[in-house]
Amino acid sequence: MDSIPAPPPAHGSFRQSVEEMFGHAATLLDLPPGLEEKIRVCNSTYTVRFGVRLRGRIQTFVGYRSVHSEHHEPVKGGIRYAMSVNQDEVEALAALMTYKCALVELPFGGSKGGLRIDPRAWNEDELERITRRFTYELSRRHLISPSQNVPAPDMGTGEREMAWMADAYKRLHPADIDSRACVTGKPIGFGGIHGRTEATGRGVQYALHEAFRHPEAVARAGLSGGLEGKRIVVQGLGNVGYHAALFLSTEDGAKIVAVAERDGAVVDEAGLDIAALKAHLSASGGVRDFPGAQFLADADAALELDCDILIPAAMEAVIHEGNAARIKAPMIVEAANGPTTAAGDKILREQGKFVIPDLYANAGGVTVSYFEWVKNLGHMDFGRMERRREEARHRLLIEELERLSADQNLGWSLSAGFKQQYLMGADELTLVRSGLDDIMRGAFQQMMTVMADDSRVPDLRTAGYMVAVRRIARTYEALGL
Ligand code: NAD
């Protein structure tokens, strides 16, 4: 079960795809000789094979932790549990983390890890033993540490696995007062932060909000108006896809007209009820038989449905040279990492599609991970010192306005709703969302500026890479490397 090698990628190497995308941007930057290669190559990849006694025999597992760039430390990146995990994929994802962190200005280098395992094939106790052993192997090589390398959840992992990793690390380093900062995406109550679970999907929503604030971006996609009523297709209703679809449909008035999952896709022109669909998926293991929706057995065909916005939120290389020309959505938001191959990207570009690229679109997760890491190192919740003070100042202002109105017979009255909202000091979730929104807005504006200033820049992806690579180059130059 554990020793079956991952099949070769059907649409070329993921790492080569990322390198090609990086290459487009690098040719437009005037980098000193040698620096381009220094930035592009992956610094190191550690492969671990370890055994755990389970079900009456020693089961062997293969895991990886790749460090792409240490221009800032710690390096940061998720840990994926999937049978498809391999060195090429982990290195591609680590490189993406480097560029993503640089684009959204987080002080991290890029890393990524993976364990070749089908998490559904093992029970909770077994997964815990495997995860603790994997943590031990990583810790021995300083590949998990608050100051050097900080993992997070990715496909197949979540806050449960992060809690096991944090606890295993703590046992190995009992005197480290900052041990909880060794991983992010932990549960609340175990060093986690409000808003981390929703963060990547929330970031996708904020990315779309910002795109629709730019008429030139909306026009490039051939769309008009706002998000309300836009018809969206989502691939993958996991952590990222679910939260993005939920917020876009319940808060922005967009319609999720189709969702593709492993077993097929469901379509409803009236808009799917995302919370109900998620409950159905969790209960039955698939989307088939979801009441009121049409079922398509061919999940991949859903990517080619007519819609305004396509959100691939499952896995890499789903848009490739074989299907890119058939994609109808004029706007594609890459919530997953690497959903478009370099060959597929070229076709999308030729067809004039507006692609909001992965290194930006899914940066919400690592952004809120950064907030969590800072919170762990600060040993205090965000908002704890200011919240009541802020409320007291707001109360003072309201009381003064009401006194003035009464004294001067002005007849002003503040609505109860306004008073309640204005009086409420910001809690941690509010602050996290505010910080995330600020970062997502800023990065989008920087990419749009690069595109507007240089006619050679064909798309947002190239612009995003250019912003990121320029920043990394400046850091290396400052370090004298
Ligand atoms: P997840 O495991 O929670 O969800 C993935 C979902 O995709 C699952 O529901 C799965 O059933 C579905 N899926 C798998 N194969 C599919 C297929 N062929 N067709 C349709 N659906 C399929 O994973 P996630 O954390 O939501 O991650 C999804 C993507 O987002 C990955 O590329 C990941 O690297 C990226 N990402 C995740 C985060 C995060 O914070 N979790 C952050 C940044 C990027």
Side-chain angles (χ1 to χ4, degrees):
M1 177 183 314
D2 41 57
S3 57
I4 306 165
H11 298 285
S13 153
F14 184 10
R15 187 175 50 75
Q16 279 165 7
S17 237
V18 172
E19 289 189 358
E20 213 174 295
M21 291 170 180
F22 164 87
H24 287 157
T27 52
L28 298 176
L29 295 168
D30 198 15
L31 298 178
L35 189 54
E36 176 181 330
E37 193 189 353
K38 170 74 198 114
I39 296 173
R40 180 178 52 77
V41 298
C42 188
N43 286 4
S44 63
T45 300
Y46 172 63
T47 306
V48 52
R49 292 182 185 81
F50 59 91
V52 185
R53 181 173 288 282
L54 296 166
R55 302 182 188 176
R57 59 168 279 226
I58 305 252
Q59 310 271 356
T60 305
F61 297 91
V62 184
Y64 303 90
R65 187 76 182 159
S66 182
V67 175
H68 175 261
S69 175
E70 290 144 302
H71 67 290
H72 286 303
E73 281 188 311
V75 293
K76 191 89 189 73
I79 292 211
R80 175 175 286 197
Y81 281 8
M83 283 307 286
S84 55
V85 163
N86 61 68
Q87 182 168 345
D88 182 271
E89 175 188 87
V90 173
E91 290 187 355
L93 290 164
L96 267 179
M97 283 305 296
T98 297
Y99 308 132
K100 195 181 301 183
C101 291
L103 175 61
V104 294
E105 292 185 90
L106 305 181
F108 295 135
S111 182
K112 201 81 183 190
L115 192 60
R116 192 180 301 155
I117 181 176
D118 177 359
R120 290 167 304 177
W122 302 95
N123 67 35
E124 189 164 354
D125 284 352
E126 292 166 338
L127 278 174
E128 178 175 351
R129 289 177 62 191
I130 297 162
T131 302
R132 286 178 180 276
R133 182 60 204 269
F134 188 31
T135 309
Y136 170 74
E137 296 294 333
L138 293 175
S139 175
R140 280 174 48 174
R141 306 290 191 292
H142 307 291
L143 290 167
I144 174 170
S145 134
S147 60
Q148 285 171 289
N149 196 321
V150 183
D154 193 72
M155 250 167 84
T157 56
E159 57 180 35
R160 180 184 67 172
E161 287 74 16
M162 298 306 112
W164 292 333
M165 293 187 98
D167 187 58
Y169 183 86
K170 171 80 184 156
R171 285 162 196 254
L172 293 166
H173 306 270
D176 183 350
I177 194 170
D178 291 326
S179 67
R180 278 194 173 172
C182 73
V183 290
T184 56
K186 301 177 293 291
I188 297 289
F190 201 73
I193 192 167
H194 289 96
R196 175 60 185 91
T197 305
E198 67 168 41
T200 311
R202 183 64 79 183
V204 169
Q205 180 199 27
Y206 289 164
L208 272 168
H209 286 180
E210 187 56 21
F212 276 87
R213 277 187 208 107
H214 290 253
E216 68 279 27
V218 180
R220 262 182 183 255
L223 294 170
S224 58
L227 262 174
E228 183 153 7
K230 289 287 177 293
R231 297 164 58 252
I232 301 179
V233 172
V234 177
Q235 183 195 39
L237 206 65
N239 177 301
V240 179
Y242 166 65
H243 286 105
L246 183 73
F247 300 147
L248 290 165
S249 57
T250 58
E251 297 175 11
D252 298 322
K255 276 198 284 187
I256 312 298
V257 293
V259 167
E261 257 292 331
R262 289 176 203 264
D263 65 327
V266 277
V267 184
D268 184 352
E269 263 305 318
L272 292 156
D273 177 338
I274 294 302
L277 180 59
K278 182 71 176 173
H280 178 84
L281 175 65
S282 305
S284 71
V287 291
R288 183 189 284 271
D289 297 330
F290 182 61
Q294 183 199 345
F295 180 74
L296 303 179
D298 182 0
D300 293 346
L303 295 171
E304 300 167 24
L305 290 173
D306 177 66
C307 62
D308 298 311
I309 303 169
L310 172 64
I311 307 185
M315 56 192 290
E316 57 261 19
V318 295
I319 300 175
H320 44 77
E321 73 275 24
N323 65 358
R326 295 196 300 271
I327 302 282
K328 295 191 189 66
M331 184 183 272
I332 297 147
V333 188
E334 295 183 335
N337 279 311
T340 312
T341 64
D345 193 41
K346 185 166 174 281
I347 296 169
L348 295 182
R349 209 168 29 244
E350 283 163 4
Q351 301 220 326
K353 306 290 185 192
F354 188 76
V355 179
I356 303 186
D358 49 5
L359 75 160
Y360 167 72
N362 68 37
V366 70
T367 299
V368 177
S369 274
Y370 167 58
F371 300 156
E372 180 178 332
W373 180 74
V374 170
K375 170 182 168 174
N376 292 155
L377 296 179
H379 299 270
M380 199 191 294
D381 293 357
F382 288 115
R384 176 51 50 94
M385 299 296 275
E386 311 89 5
R387 186 171 174 195
R388 303 301 171 197
R389 171 80 185 131
E390 196 189 334
E391 286 180 0
R393 286 166 66 91
H394 287 183
R395 186 174 301 282
L396 259 180
L397 181 67
I398 283 185
E399 285 171 358
E400 189 61 9
L401 282 174
E402 287 179 337
R403 189 191 61 74
L404 268 175
S405 171
D407 284 0
Q408 312 286 323
N409 280 329
L410 296 174
W412 294 347
S413 73
L414 299 169
S415 73
F418 168 80
K419 276 209 282 194
Q420 196 200 1
Q421 276 197 40
Y422 188 68
L423 280 173
M424 199 166 51
D427 59 8
E428 186 172 82
L429 182 59
T430 310
L431 292 170
V432 162
R433 287 178 178 163
S434 155
L436 174 61
D437 194 12
D438 185 55
I439 285 177
M440 295 306 290
R441 287 188 199 207
F444 192 89
Q445 287 159 15
Q446 286 162 21
M447 291 190 294
M448 288 301 285
T449 303
V450 168
M451 242 188 358
D453 288 353
D454 188 340
S455 59
R456 297 171 306 162
V457 182
D459 56 10
L460 224 47
R461 188 189 315 279
T462 311
Y465 272 92
M466 284 171 74
V467 173
V469 173
R470 211 178 265 147
R471 237 170 233 149
I472 299 163
R474 250 186 255 130
T475 309
Y476 274 126
E477 281 170 345
L479 291 171
L481 290 174

